[in-house]
Amino acid sequence: MSATKNVLSKAPVSLATYRAAVVREFGAPLVVDEVPKLALERGQIRVRVEATGLCHTDIHAAHGDWPVKPSPPFVPGHEGVGIVEELGAGVTEVALGERVAMPWLGYACGTCDYCVSGWETLCLEQKNMGYSIDGGLGEYATAFARYVVRVPDGIDPYDAAPLTCAGVTTYKAIKVAGTRSSDLVAVFGVGGLGHMAIQYARIAGGRVVAVDLTDEKLELARELGASFTVNAAKEDPATAIQRLGGADQAIALAVSPRSFEQAFGSLRRGGTLVFVALPADNEMKLPIFETVLNGITVVGSIVGTRAELRDVFALHAAGRTTVIRETRRLADANEAIADVEAGRVAARIVLQP
Ligand SMILES: [Zn+2]
Ligand SMILES: [Zn+2]
């Protein structure tokens, strides 16, 4: 996450504008407003946005919750999907009229050790959609052609949007977890990310135990392939999962340090805890003694690469994943944010400009 200035802070070069949901001030409601359409830089494309998923990260961005903050005014959104409408100089990666996804990794240097070894998501020069580059919560978005991913024909753009972050992030987390057949995978948090994590863990061959605070979400988890569920509002998930023999991997997707601690407590010896969610409250208690004696691995996993997003789209095109989402109008972005924060959303809200 670099803190480079976003395009809204530069002088407009044309009078053309488009509507977007703008963060003008941390913690204040988004303002749906006209923003200037800027001339494309070399390597950039203009995308007419069809759909953008609302991720918890967008809400943290709008609140300025994390140590590295974006600079208002900016447009959130890193699950934007749309049609390429204009090409900047030198663009060869995509063509006019193609449908593309604009993920969190909006730009990377392409030449550092991370970029050349399949870890572009760790590039120190990276810029992020909806954070340091204006994102998908608008009628248009500007992206770097090299970092968008083509959406295969036959995938509904309203499905493609949640796959662009929630999908690829959990696909990667299951890869990092190293799930194999016969493993028990504990998925903590059945929301936008969790409902996809359950499916990728199943595709990897694992059995899934899903943990959440509401029975409706646990019901959804069962429908998507979870073998066991634990309502953490009613019983301690660590105890319940230890009764099943303990989890080989636990995927922490809920934005609460308490849930991370429960995920740690749910592991069997030799297990792996994967950190994915980014709670505003940045600390958890990690017991050293149990980590050492039980041979526990703790690993962080941040989004996924372009290649992994291609895998995610291929799995979806092959009918192996289901995206649970509801559609709202971009003008209702603030209501959508309130519903996500209050846990009133089954999985993902997709906003329609
Ligand atoms: Zn996200
Ligand atoms: Zn790099």
Side-chain angles (χ1 to χ4, degrees):
M1 285 185 254
S2 84
T4 50
K5 293 300 285 179
N6 50 73
V7 294
L8 277 180
S9 51
K10 295 181 198 161
V13 296
S14 100
L15 292 174
T17 61
Y18 65 95
R19 287 184 80 70
V22 184
V23 176
R24 296 223 172 269
E25 187 188 337
F26 290 134
L30 305 194
V31 182
V32 179
D33 207 355
E34 295 290 329
V35 299
K37 235 183 192 180
L38 303 178
L40 297 179
E41 292 172 15
R42 190 173 180 80
Q44 285 185 330
I45 56 174
R46 181 134 30 233
V47 175
R48 179 172 49 76
V49 177
E50 298 173 293
T52 300
L54 180 65
C55 180
H56 228 116
T57 291
D58 298 314
I59 301 173
H60 289 301
H63 290 174
D65 274 339
W66 292 332
V68 179
K69 296 182 200 311
S71 338
F74 68 95
V75 179
H78 56 276
E79 286 190 348
V81 167
I83 303 297
V84 179
E85 218 173 76
E86 194 185 334
L87 303 178
V91 170
T92 55
E93 296 83 0
V94 293
L96 292 175
E98 285 183 336
R99 177 171 288 131
V100 295
M102 299 173 282
W104 172 252
L105 188 75
Y107 171 86
C109 81
T111 53
C112 71
D113 288 347
Y114 301 115
C115 280
V116 299
S117 62
W119 284 98
E120 64 203 34
T121 48
L122 302 183
C123 176
L124 285 159
E125 303 297 315
Q126 74 181 268
K127 293 177 186 169
N128 302 111
M129 289 302 292
Y131 218 83
S132 48
I133 303 175
D134 285 315
L137 289 182
E139 293 170 316
Y140 288 90
T142 300
F144 287 93
R146 210 164 268 183
Y147 287 90
V148 300
V149 172
R150 281 198 54 200
V151 179
D153 293 339
I155 294 187
D156 185 323
Y158 291 96
D159 281 354
L163 293 173
T164 300
C165 175
V168 75
T169 298
T170 50
Y171 176 78
K172 176 70 164 199
I174 294 297
K175 229 169 128 172
V176 165
T179 300
R180 302 170 65 169
S181 58
S182 86
D183 283 351
L184 179 66
V185 184
V187 173
F188 280 76
V190 183
L193 273 75
H195 91 284
M196 296 308 303
I198 291 165
Q199 299 177 69
Y200 295 125
R202 296 279 294 121
I203 289 169
R207 283 176 313 148
V208 173
V209 50
V211 180
D212 206 288
L213 297 166
T214 71
D215 289 332
E216 296 75 49
K217 293 206 175 187
L218 296 173
E219 175 72 41
L220 174 66
R222 289 237 177 222
E223 283 165 23
L224 293 171
S227 304
F228 312 98
T229 56
V230 180
N231 187 329
K234 295 178 186 162
E235 64 177 320
D236 173 39
T239 309
I241 294 169
Q242 289 299 344
R243 272 203 305 272
L244 297 171
D248 295 279
Q249 297 101 29
I251 317 294
L253 302 172
V255 284
S256 112
R258 176 91 191 99
S259 171
F260 279 60
E261 288 160 10
Q262 292 168 340
F264 178 87
S266 76
L267 292 171
R268 62 182 286 158
R269 289 196 154 197
T272 299
L273 172 57
V274 185
F275 285 9
V276 179
L278 296 167
D281 182 358
N282 195 22
E283 314 271 330
M284 72 173 279
K285 225 175 186 172
L286 185 65
I288 297 167
F289 185 86
E290 287 79 358
T291 303
V292 172
L293 265 73
N294 294 342
I296 300 298
T297 302
V298 177
V299 57
S301 184
I302 174 75
V303 295
T305 62
R306 291 165 290 179
E308 284 150 350
L309 184 50
R310 284 187 193 139
D311 292 347
V312 161
F313 285 149
L315 286 170
H316 195 70
R320 300 187 66 188
T321 51
T322 303
V323 176
I324 307 294
R325 36 82 178 173
E326 54 186 277
T327 306
R328 310 258 187 107
R329 295 178 319 140
L330 180 64
D332 300 327
N334 289 309
E335 194 182 69
I337 287 173
D339 286 348
V340 170
E341 287 188 304
R344 287 191 292 262
V345 180
R348 207 44 142 200
I349 290 177
V350 178
L351 295 166
Q352 187 181 22

